[in-house]
Amino acid sequence: MEAKAFPMNGGDGTYSYAKNSLYQRACLNSVKDMIKEVIAEKFDITCLNSNTIRMADLGCSVGPNTFIAMQNVLDAMVDSNQTSKEFQVFFSDHVSNDFNTLFTSLPPDRQYFATAVPGSFHGRLFPKYSLHFVHSSSALHWLSEVPEVLLHKRSVAWNKGRIHYTSASEQVANAYAAQFEKDMDIFFSSRADEIVAGGMMILIMAALPDEVHHSELPAGVVFHFIEQSLIDMVKAGSVSEAEVDSFNLPIYAATPKEMTRLVERNGCFKIERLELTDPMAKFDGPMDITGMIMHLRAVFEGILTKHFGSKIIDELFERTKDKSAEISAQLEASYRKGTQLFLVLKRK
């Protein structure tokens, strides 16, 4: 399976992911203590037959969040096991990821050997039984590709005039869910081959509470306003209607029940901990909408440019920024706790 790449903005410029990823850092901070607890309780380095503990961060992007995440994990392992073992960290993302920026900003005082592993986590990346610990944060909600049925005019799931499933029909939402299920089957099978017995995997990902309808996903509010800006640009002649009709964000937020079913269907991992968390609780005061739109540009500029061309980017995000008051009001109204899943798995 060849997954499509949707890289974040590289470099360290104004619109780079490195400078516009505070939300992802909040995701990490919201579970830092939980990671420390679960490693202390469930991860025994002494039973792993290796002098070197090999760890991977899947979907590492360009930093600095991946460095923070890996240091948190390493510190927890050392504190709980009082080990003198050596550590090797594999930073992995698509081949189009900006690994140059990532590796030129490596912490000089790091306590591990750093390695780049280019490739999609929707497939094998490592030799069999070579990893002891796998981490992934704010990455697994990205699909390997847009569901093909969304692009056919005669399909019941044709997503005309929309760019996501949260404001679309059940058929569109079902197509996204089916693609996510297919992707996760491959993800779990690949990791089952790569992780040693007793090894651990921690997944931190966008989620939706079981009892909540997909139309109520708070991120859908933001996607709706990007969609509206594109529609405004169709009316202004900046983009064509056909270009908008054929564009869909390859992002899906799963429920705890969905993830539980997929883990159990794979059968190679035991669920040690599964709970919803609230990364937004780490932010004080009113939401910075301007900062959020900068973040959206850092995340989505690549995929938007690939589809529409670079000429539309400034206008698109300026139009979206003009809707800041509406975005703020609707986000506040749609805010709910439990939009991040913390999932800890142990290889059987």
Side-chain angles (χ1 to χ4, degrees), residues 99-116:
F99 284 102
N100 285 335
T101 293
L102 177 71
F103 278 85
T104 54
S105 56
L106 273 168
D109 58 346
R110 61 189 180 278
Q111 302 159 288
Y112 53 81
F113 297 94
T115 306

Side-chain angles (χ1 to χ4, degrees), residues 136-158:
S136 181
S137 179
S138 301
L140 276 177
H141 57 277
W142 284 94
L143 302 176
S144 64
E145 62 180 355
V146 171
E148 190 175 344
V149 294
L150 304 184
L151 307 178
H152 300 316
K153 292 183 179 181
R154 295 183 179 181
S155 168
V156 294
W158 185 36

Side-chain angles (χ1 to χ4, degrees), residues 1-4 120-123 140 142-149 173-191 252 254 258-259 261-263 265-266:
M1 174 180 174
E2 184 178 349
K4 296 182 179 178
S120 169
F121 54 53
H122 295 113
L140 276 177
W142 284 94
L143 302 176
S144 64
E145 62 180 355
V146 171
E148 190 175 344
V149 294
N174 291 340
Y176 269 88
Q179 183 65 53
F180 178 79
E181 183 173 313
K182 177 182 176 183
D183 288 347
M184 290 308 299
D185 281 342
I186 295 171
F187 177 86
F188 284 130
S189 294
S190 299
R191 302 297 82 77
Y252 183 78
E258 284 178 291
M259 290 304 294
R261 177 173 56 82
L262 291 169
V263 171
R265 185 163 76 184
N266 173 267

